[in-house]
Amino acid sequence: MTDVFEILQKDAAGRIGRLHTPHGVVETPTVMPVINPNINTIPSSEMHQFGAQILITNSYIISRKEELRKVALEKGLHHLLDFDGPIMTDSGSFQLSVYGDVEVTNEQIIAFQKNIGSDIAVPLDIPTPPDVSYKRAEDELETTLERVIAAREIVTDDMLLAGPLQGSTYPDLRVHSAKSLSKHSFDVYPIGAVVPLMESYRYADLVDVVISSKKGLDPAKPVHLFGAGHPMMFALAVAMGCDLFDSAAYALYAKAGRYITVDGTTHLEDLQYLPCNCPVCSAHTASEIKSSSNSKELLARHNLYVTFAEIRNIKQAIREGNLLELVEQRCRSHPSMLSALKRLYNYSPWLERLDPFSKSTFFYTGPESSKRPEIVRFEERIGRLNLDGKVLIRSRSLKGEGNYDHVLNFKPPFGAYPIELSEVYPFNAEIPDEMDPGAIGVALQNVIELINKNRNGLFYLNLPKQYTDHPLYGDLKKNAIPLDEMPNENL
Ligand SMILES: [Zn+2]
């Protein structure tokens, strides 16, 4: 199938989309709860009440167990799981990565997924772990590409087919993987083998993997971050253009007594109070959950509620155009997440090309905000300003502004821009009264470059002390005249 995905709204590289499957339309971004057909922590039939629109299960496990296999083949996957919405099926690649071998071929597992009525099938790709030798990553990627492209030729009906992207931690292989599969028009592109990066908190490396994969893909195609199920990193991943996630975490964490929040994970044993309003946490105290005979199930339910609440938060942020503010908040929950935020903004020129031009209000939330795509766009645009005559750069309106040919407002982290744009996004930014030196430095540097590009202009400055105290102000003064150092008759 082609054109199964439509994009309704965008922010940064994130989007709200609609994925059309044989069992209905899924609004993305969303999480697919992982259903282990052997262990029923929460019945699939109840998944809708948490906000789940689509599930994911493992066709390899189903094919290997006679009683599951029989029901799935005779009555269908949806009957087996008792779920009437879309179901994606994995192929056994995960088992391949854990056990080194699986007793099924790519062709067999694709045919099986088709025969049980899967909505989205996955070929038997090779999940190459991070940091292997380049040679191994390259060889395994070639095998993956052969298998995945072979699967494309087999699947010709309305079942969607995923084209998993591999390439270990080598950005060029990730790009190659994405470009090669793009030629064959898959319906969903999972980014594979990233679980080891997340398990070891290597979120900055995850940013490299995701963005290099995205760079090789048509931006109109849906992307699944395979194995990502912790809500702490959803906003970051969505801002990079991931549309689908899958959570085994809700059940696995619960099994280990772990309570998920958007800031991380806490052991239930350490909680005296429950920082959540979900139906489980509203109806129980921490000690009631601890002493309950079904505490694991209660935890799993809470974990799912908090997972889907974050998805709703993210979708609302996309609607309001403040997804990056949400990302900046979430990335302050852990030093590794903060590293990931910094890495993300290294890609601001890429983000800038995907980011919608106009949004509501730019909220400055910390030094990292100075590297946002809006600042990159501003720096490019300000380079095109042509200024001659007398130019005033100030941060509040002054008497006698009519005597100047141009009046620019100064605001960190941007720099100086025509006052007519003050109420226009992103210059209507909300910034703190006390700016951090990094943001002031970015703005002063932008003004220095503006003056250097406009040698025919005569620049006057009127800036408050918190800006003039910055070391870069000395450089700025070399080519501009501070108003307090100038006799009045010059005006
Ligand atoms: Zn809760």
Side-chain angles (χ1 to χ4, degrees), residues 17-42:
R18 285 163 62 85
L19 179 67
H20 295 258
T21 79
H23 280 82
V25 178
V26 174
E27 189 179 271
T28 62
T30 197
V31 186
M32 302 179 277
V34 175
I35 305 298
N36 181 335
N38 287 316
I39 310 161
N40 212 348
T41 315
I42 297 171

Side-chain angles (χ1 to χ4, degrees), residues 259 276 278 281 302:
Y259 180 98
C276 173
C278 82
C281 300
H302 155 82

Side-chain angles (χ1 to χ4, degrees), residues 259-260 274-282 301-303 305-306:
Y259 180 98
I260 291 176
L274 300 175
C276 173
N277 293 322
C278 82
V280 174
C281 300
S282 304
R301 286 175 183 273
H302 155 82
N303 288 346
Y305 278 119
V306 77

